[in-house]
Amino acid sequence: MNQSITSTPVLKRKIDRFLADWKARPDRNPLVIKGARQIGKTFSVMEFAKANYEHIVYINFILESRYRDIFADGYDVESVVKNITYLNPTVKIEPGKTLVFFDELQACPPAATSLKAFKVDGRYDVICSGSLMGINYQEIESNSVGYKEDVEMFSLDFEEFLWARGFSEKTIEDLLGKMLRLEPLGKIEFDVLSETFKDYMVVGGMPAVVDRFVSQNNFSGILPMQKQLLLDYREDITKYASGLDKAKILAVYNHISTFLARENKRFQITKIGRNARNRDYVGVIDWLTAAGIVNACYCLEHLGLPLKGNYNPDLYKLYYQDTGLFVASLDDEAQADLRDNRNFGTYKGALFENVIADILRKDGYQLYYYRNEKSTIEMDFFVRDTHYLIPVEVKASDNATKSLTKLTSGQEEDIRYGIKFAFKNIGFNGKFYTFPYFLAFLLRRFLKEHKPL
């Protein structure tokens, strides 16, 4: 029973604040933290536990498989605790002072079933963590319904990356204030944040990669780390993809970059292999999404609210959940071009779309796009505020914005204004707001606080 986790670097994360708020609630439920591998789940929980509990019962169901049998005599807390102490007589478990941390939940689904008993018993706090890759997802979801709280964790978003680079929360609040006042950024602000954002596009948000980049302030050694993560994901697919054809999941995973390089970027199952058909790949996209590997962006059937239920499940784009891993998936020449020449506009806008998709998803948005039958209107993403549907355009260059102009012309009942992200300063032309890419992480806060002009 290992109680020391030191492999992940110390970085300020948003989950830290969430865990503190969770601990402060007297009626807290057992917590299940989901997310892709190596994004810092275990480290964050252990740091929180060391600061808030006298005793920590840490069980990793992959590294310590014998603990999978602690539920063999039932799910009641007395039986589970007794079996834990049999396996490790030195462990201390004291009511009100102990956190039970079940890690790698995907290797022991019965642990999820025990959460109801722990909640009813009430003597011990419980946190579970895992990628939920390759297990019966519905089984985990249905167990202990109403007696647990689920939270999704991601690799570092751009705000967390800014923290890692030394930017303060006050600086970020100042940026939000300028967005709300439509006040352009100063030249130094704009230039520094633009370069920092380009670093983020290459580095991504995987904690170990970010820590290395920040500590040495260059890209040396980062690419091998990212390529290893890509290999680890492929290995996980072959290891955990039970019940689905592993070859089909790998085929989709291996073709993400291929379709992002195309003009419309839509992923097409029929073009990834001979005789590939959509009906033979049912569940594959959901599996990759649930595993925290990809972000799926679905095509809206019509321009109206609500967004959920208003999309075609057969028309979608696939983005990497971490843009640094997308960059690492490109060929060596593209790698050198991006790192040495900062030439981000050569991949048909895919890099910018991917990073904005990643930012929106980490900010809690589901992803939707639109393309009409005649392809006369195309829009990268849609979000909403309290009342309106909001088209979001991502521009890799300073080309015309015909679709955004048309959508915000007043012809669409649910659309009052739009958002354009580019390497442009803050502005508003009466139809849509223009923001630099690096402010996309503030979009939800902006939409909540601003009053449409």
Side-chain angles (χ1 to χ4, degrees):
M1 185 178 298
N2 182 9
Q3 296 189 25
S4 177
I5 304 298
T6 59
S7 59
T8 307
V10 177
L11 294 166
K12 180 181 177 181
R13 304 298 306 274
K14 292 181 178 178
I15 193 71
D16 302 339
R17 188 175 300 166
F18 178 90
L19 290 171
D21 292 342
W22 172 79
K23 180 71 167 64
R25 298 201 302 264
D27 60 341
R28 58 189 172 274
N29 286 332
L31 189 63
V32 179
I33 303 177
K34 310 172 187 177
R37 63 176 294 161
Q38 299 189 43
I39 59 169
K41 299 185 298 296
T42 300
F43 183 84
S44 292
V45 174
M46 287 300 291
E47 289 297 296
F48 160 76
K50 291 173 187 176
N52 290 276
Y53 296 89
E54 290 187 26
H55 310 296
I56 306 168
V57 180
Y58 174 70
I59 298 175
N60 184 311
F61 289 116
I62 289 181
L63 298 180
E64 303 165 304
S65 59
R66 62 189 180 134
Y67 284 94
R68 298 175 192 176
D69 293 330
I70 60 176
F71 309 103
D73 298 323
Y75 295 106
D76 63 284
V77 174
E78 286 293 342
S79 296
V80 174
V81 169
K82 180 181 69 175
N83 286 334
I84 291 173
T85 56
Y86 273 136
L87 291 172
N88 184 1
T90 65
V91 69
K92 294 182 179 180
I93 306 178
E94 187 176 350
K97 300 179 179 180
T98 303
L99 176 71
V100 179
F101 181 15
F102 293 138
D103 202 4
E104 302 293 0
L105 180 64
Q106 72 274 11
C108 186
T113 304
S114 73
L115 299 183
K116 178 178 180 179
F118 273 101
K119 169 62 177 177
V120 172
D121 182 272
R123 288 178 291 167
Y124 313 104
D125 286 349
V126 181
I127 295 179
C128 297
S129 171
S131 68
L132 302 191
M133 180 182 282
I135 63 174
N136 186 328
Y137 211 73
Q138 294 302 319
E139 178 184 347
I140 289 294
E141 290 299 300
S142 62
N143 286 339
S144 299
V145 172
Y147 295 91
K148 64 181 176 65
E149 180 177 357
D150 297 306
V151 61
E152 193 169 6
M153 186 175 172
F154 303 93
S155 62
L156 277 77
D157 65 16
F158 185 58
E159 184 171 14
E160 291 171 314
F161 187 80
L162 288 174
W163 293 342
R165 295 294 279 159
F167 290 87
S168 68
E169 293 191 22
K170 181 182 183 304
T171 297
I172 292 169
E173 288 302 313
D174 288 344
L175 292 173
L176 176 60
K178 289 194 173 185
M179 292 175 71
L180 293 169
R181 296 190 301 271
L182 297 179
E183 177 184 337
L185 302 172
K187 184 180 187 305
I188 292 178
E189 284 179 303
F190 188 92
D191 290 347
V192 170
L193 288 169
S194 293
E195 290 304 306
T196 305
F197 188 75
K198 290 175 182 177
D199 288 340
Y200 179 69
M201 290 178 70
V202 173
V203 174
M206 301 304 284
V209 179
V210 173
D211 182 69
R212 177 157 186 161
F213 173 75
V214 170
S215 63
Q216 64 189 20
N217 199 30
N218 61 56
F219 297 112
S220 176
I222 284 185
L223 181 57
M225 296 175 70
Q226 293 171 321
K227 286 188 176 295
Q228 184 59 52
L229 285 166
L230 292 172
L231 291 174
D232 290 344
Y233 282 159
R234 289 190 180 94
E235 181 181 335
D236 282 350
I237 290 171
T238 60
K239 181 178 180 180
Y240 291 114
S242 58
L244 287 169
D245 190 330
K246 298 176 183 180
K248 292 174 182 175
I249 297 177
L250 281 171
V252 171
Y253 178 71
N254 291 334
H255 280 85
I256 296 173
S257 298
T258 302
F259 286 96
L260 287 177
R262 297 182 178 182
E263 198 64 41
N264 68 9
K265 301 175 182 62
R266 182 165 69 87
F267 199 95
Q268 294 175 275
I269 292 292
T270 56
K271 294 185 178 180
I272 67 173
R274 182 177 297 178
N275 299 322
R277 297 172 296 185
N278 282 308
R279 67 173 178 268
D280 297 328
Y281 283 74
V282 173
V284 169
I285 306 305
D286 290 340
W287 193 96
L288 286 166
T289 302
I293 295 175
V294 304
N295 287 321
C297 182
Y298 290 96
C299 184
L300 293 176
E301 293 189 319
H302 60 86
L303 295 172
L305 295 172
L307 289 170
K308 289 187 177 180
N310 172 29
Y311 66 89
N312 187 333
D314 295 326
L315 299 178
Y316 51 86
K317 301 177 185 179
L318 294 182
Y319 300 101
Y320 283 86
Q321 269 210 3
D322 187 271
T323 299
L325 298 185
F326 174 29
V327 171
S329 74
L330 305 178
D331 56 60
D332 292 342
E333 291 75 18
Q335 295 282 342
D337 192 23
L338 289 169
R339 286 174 166 78
D340 299 338
N341 303 322
R342 317 287 275 179
N343 192 4
F344 291 91
T346 59
Y347 210 68
K348 300 185 184 298
L351 290 170
F352 293 102
E353 277 193 37
N354 199 108
V355 73
I356 296 300
D358 181 43
I359 288 171
L360 293 177
R361 184 68 189 88
K362 287 173 178 175
D363 207 21
Y365 288 108
Q366 299 300 314
L367 302 180
Y368 304 98
Y369 75 100
Y370 181 74
R371 183 186 181 98
N372 64 5
E373 293 182 0
K374 297 180 180 179
S375 299
T376 56
I377 296 180
E378 301 179 46
M379 188 49 52
D380 301 310
F381 303 106
F382 281 88
V383 296
R384 64 166 301 174
D385 60 14
T386 307
H387 304 289
Y388 302 108
L389 179 67
I390 305 167
V392 176
E393 185 173 55
V394 180
K395 299 298 290 186
S397 61
D398 195 25
N399 295 334
T401 55
K402 296 180 181 178
S403 292
L404 186 57
T405 300
K406 187 171 183 178
L407 288 174
T408 56
S409 63
Q411 298 179 23
E412 299 294 337
E413 181 179 354
D414 287 335
I415 297 176
R416 183 172 175 181
Y417 62 95
I419 303 287
K420 175 183 175 180
F421 288 114
F423 275 127
K424 291 285 187 180
N425 215 322
I426 297 172
F428 181 66
N429 66 359
K431 292 185 177 181
F432 55 84
Y433 298 88
T434 299
F435 297 120
Y437 299 111
F438 54 77
L439 294 182
F441 76 96
L442 290 169
L443 179 61
R444 183 180 285 277
R445 277 172 269 185
F446 170 78
L447 294 178
K448 182 178 180 180
E449 295 186 33
H450 97 299
K451 296 180 180 179
L453 298 177

